[in-house]
Amino acid sequence: MPVFQFLPFSALLGTLGFLCVLFTGFWAQHWRGGFAWDGSTKMFNWHPVFMVTGMVVLYGAAVLVYRVPISWTGPKLPWKLLHAVLTLAAFVLVVLGLVAVFKFHSTNSIANMYSLHSWLGLAAVLFFSCQWFMGFSAFLLPWSPTWLRVLYKPIHVFFGSTILALAMAASISGINEKLFFSLTNETVPYAQLPPEAWFANSLGMLILVFGLLVLWALATPAWKRPDSESLEAHQPLLH
Amino acid sequence: MPVFQFLPFSALLGTLGFLCVLFTGFWAQHWRGGFAWDGSTKMFNWHPVFMVTGMVVLYGAAVLVYRVPISWTGPKLPWKLLHAVLTLAAFVLVVLGLVAVFKFHSTNSIANMYSLHSWLGLAAVLFFSCQWFMGFSAFLLPWSPTWLRVLYKPIHVFFGSTILALAMAASISGINEKLFFSLTNETVPYAQLPPEAWFANSLGMLILVFGLLVLWALATPAWKRPDSESLEAHQPLLH
């Protein structure tokens, strides 16, 4: 890809991410009966909204923190804290999204964790929780040794992209599966492509485009923090 | 990730890719009734086999051609031809995979192109066909000007990864959707996780791992051809 400026690119990403959240909420509100926290399908509706918002959009913003050019000068610590806070907020949304689906399943005696979607999603969440605690322990706790930071950093970076890819695959298979559940012969079959199917299929494509652009931004050498291998990069919380 | 040697990594990738093909074929043969070319579900069974083999595994091998260290010395032309031949072979399999599903649908009066899986898959195939023809025109035809090669190369590289990501998302949503179609109350519901569901879910995870490792290998700077920006990199077919 030709070299772009990061900030206009971020504005594009922000717009796409906002649209992902808006589309997911609109789908649930307009076609799936809206929201509640009562074990019904209205409670399930929080699941896609929390997951897309937390595990894709907020997570996508959090992983790009070190690509913001103004983060390259001055101390790295405020940016590490911002990264930790954003990923923690994403993780809280993900936990709420899990509660929404598990409570809906248990209220309605629906089996858990059988579909490929659920396996991918659980893998994403498990990796994400390990990633957060290991990142916190290695990069923010003051007693973590430099050799550990140097050793762990490329692993953390690698799993940062992997977790987003897992979340994208889980989101897409989840949207596909939800449409097969909801659009049946009792309503309008998915195969007849009613407006809801067009809308939610487009949401799936939008999530894919957003996620691919984040992964591409992460992999672009010109957008990496130039001093990312210096000692300062391994600055702990209290020093 | 710590630095690995490319060749042992390729052996791992080769093993995983072989397992992806083997698992897809075994799933169709053992649980879905085997293969035929007659418009029945046995014809449909070629669809996942051709798509996983062509659009994921063979494509994955083709995009890594320029990462093989022995390709870095000597003329680039033989490697370009190998890349073109492997991607063309992948494309032929993809076309056969499309024929298998469209013939099955038309024989059984099933609608085409409505699910998110089908949209993702069609996007992957359309991008792939443009990618092949533009790659051939820009990098192999002798009259293509150097400025075009220089301009188009990063775009070609970017879409190389994007197409694989689309193929992974299509494969995973396709496996998920096929299991919901096949494992119903008339057999054993998907929700009861019969052996077929375990097996095909594992296939989905395997495809994801294979694809992510290919994407990661493509993005690893140390594995890129060192002279990839030199004039020789833009050597046409007849010069």
Side-chain angles (χ1 to χ4, degrees):
Chain A
M1 280 302 259
V3 174
F4 290 113
Q5 292 294 317
F6 182 77
L7 289 182
F9 181 81
S10 304
L12 169 70
L13 269 188
T15 308
L16 290 175
F18 177 73
L19 285 177
C20 287
V21 174
L22 195 73
F23 270 47
T24 315
F26 187 81
W27 178 25
Q29 181 63 47
H30 187 71
W31 280 290
R32 295 287 113 230
F35 300 95
W37 199 258
D38 57 1
S40 70
T41 53
K42 292 185 182 183
M43 180 159 182
F44 171 83
N45 287 342
W46 285 114
H47 174 67
V49 172
F50 283 146
M51 290 312 196
V52 169
T53 309
M55 192 86 240
V56 178
V57 179
L58 196 53
Y59 183 95
V63 295
L64 288 177
V65 155
Y66 303 114
R67 299 299 186 278
V68 181
I70 53 162
S71 80
W72 296 354
T73 50
K76 196 175 183 184
L77 185 56
W79 299 97
K80 289 169 106 171
L81 286 173
L82 179 64
H83 180 70
V85 167
L86 286 176
T87 45
L88 187 61
F91 191 72
V92 170
L93 288 177
V94 165
V95 170
L96 290 173
L98 283 183
V99 171
V101 65
F102 281 113
K103 181 83 191 305
F104 165 69
H105 280 179
S106 68
T107 307
N108 298 278
S109 305
I110 298 170
N112 288 310
M113 299 304 311
Y114 63 88
S115 72
L116 178 54
H117 158 69
S118 65
W119 286 27
L120 291 166
L122 191 73
V125 175
L126 289 178
F127 278 122
F128 188 15
S129 55
C130 294
Q131 177 91 339
W132 199 91
F133 283 106
M134 289 177 69
F136 179 80
S137 309
F139 301 128
L140 282 176
L141 289 184
W143 50 81
S144 129
T146 301
W147 65 263
L148 177 67
R149 295 160 188 257
V150 173
L151 186 72
Y152 175 55
K153 192 175 166 199
I155 299 170
H156 189 79
V157 168
F158 172 74
F159 277 97
S161 294
T162 299
I163 291 165
L164 181 59
L166 276 167
M168 289 159 61
S171 302
I172 284 162
S173 51
I175 292 167
N176 205 42
E177 137 180 348
K178 176 65 182 170
L179 288 169
F180 276 107
F181 284 147
S182 304
L183 300 174
T184 61
N185 287 329
E186 291 161 30
T187 59
V188 185
Y190 193 6
Q192 288 180 21
L193 260 184
E196 178 181 351
W198 273 97
F199 188 86
N201 281 358
S202 305
L203 167 64
M205 304 296 276
L206 194 63
I207 289 172
L208 193 87
V209 170
F210 174 85
L212 286 178
L213 288 177
V214 172
L215 291 176
W216 176 71
L218 284 175
T220 299
W223 287 354
K224 287 185 183 164
R225 189 179 162 100
D227 64 342
S228 63
E229 295 312 315
S230 78
L231 251 193
E232 201 277 326
H234 312 299
Q235 179 196 38
L237 187 59
L238 306 167
H239 217 95
Chain B
M1 278 306 256
V3 175
F4 291 111
Q5 293 292 317
F6 183 77
L7 289 181
F9 181 81
S10 304
L12 168 69
L13 268 188
T15 308
L16 289 175
F18 177 72
L19 285 178
C20 287
V21 175
L22 196 71
F23 270 47
T24 315
F26 187 80
W27 178 23
Q29 180 65 45
H30 187 70
W31 279 292
R32 298 285 113 228
F35 300 94
W37 199 259
D38 57 1
S40 71
T41 54
K42 292 186 182 183
M43 180 161 183
F44 171 84
N45 287 343
W46 284 113
H47 175 66
V49 171
F50 282 145
M51 289 310 194
V52 170
T53 308
M55 192 85 240
V56 178
V57 178
L58 195 52
Y59 183 95
V63 295
L64 288 176
V65 154
Y66 303 114
R67 299 299 185 280
V68 181
I70 51 162
S71 79
W72 296 354
T73 50
K76 196 176 182 184
L77 186 57
W79 300 96
K80 289 170 104 170
L81 286 173
L82 179 62
H83 180 70
V85 167
L86 287 176
T87 45
L88 186 63
F91 191 73
V92 169
L93 288 177
V94 165
V95 170
L96 290 173
L98 283 183
V99 171
V101 65
F102 280 114
K103 181 82 191 302
F104 165 68
H105 280 179
S106 67
T107 307
N108 298 277
S109 305
I110 297 171
N112 289 309
M113 297 306 309
Y114 64 89
S115 72
L116 179 53
H117 157 70
S118 65
W119 288 26
L120 292 166
L122 191 72
V125 175
L126 289 178
F127 278 122
F128 188 16
S129 55
C130 293
Q131 177 91 339
W132 199 90
F133 283 105
M134 288 176 69
F136 179 79
S137 309
F139 300 129
L140 282 177
L141 291 185
W143 50 82
S144 127
T146 302
W147 64 263
L148 177 68
R149 294 158 189 257
V150 172
L151 185 74
Y152 175 54
K153 192 177 166 197
I155 300 170
H156 188 79
V157 167
F158 172 74
F159 276 99
S161 295
T162 300
I163 291 165
L164 181 59
L166 275 167
M168 289 159 63
S171 302
I172 284 163
S173 51
I175 292 167
N176 206 39
E177 141 180 346
K178 176 65 181 170
L179 288 169
F180 275 108
F181 284 146
S182 305
L183 301 174
T184 62
N185 288 329
E186 291 161 31
T187 58
V188 184
Y190 192 6
Q192 288 181 20
L193 261 185
E196 178 182 351
W198 273 97
F199 187 86
N201 281 356
S202 306
L203 167 64
M205 304 296 275
L206 193 64
I207 288 171
L208 193 87
V209 170
F210 174 83
L212 286 178
L213 289 177
V214 172
L215 291 177
W216 175 72
L218 284 176
T220 299
W223 286 354
K224 287 183 182 164
R225 188 179 165 100
D227 65 342
S228 63
E229 296 312 313
S230 77
L231 253 192
E232 200 275 326
H234 312 298
Q235 179 196 38
L237 186 61
L238 307 166
H239 217 92

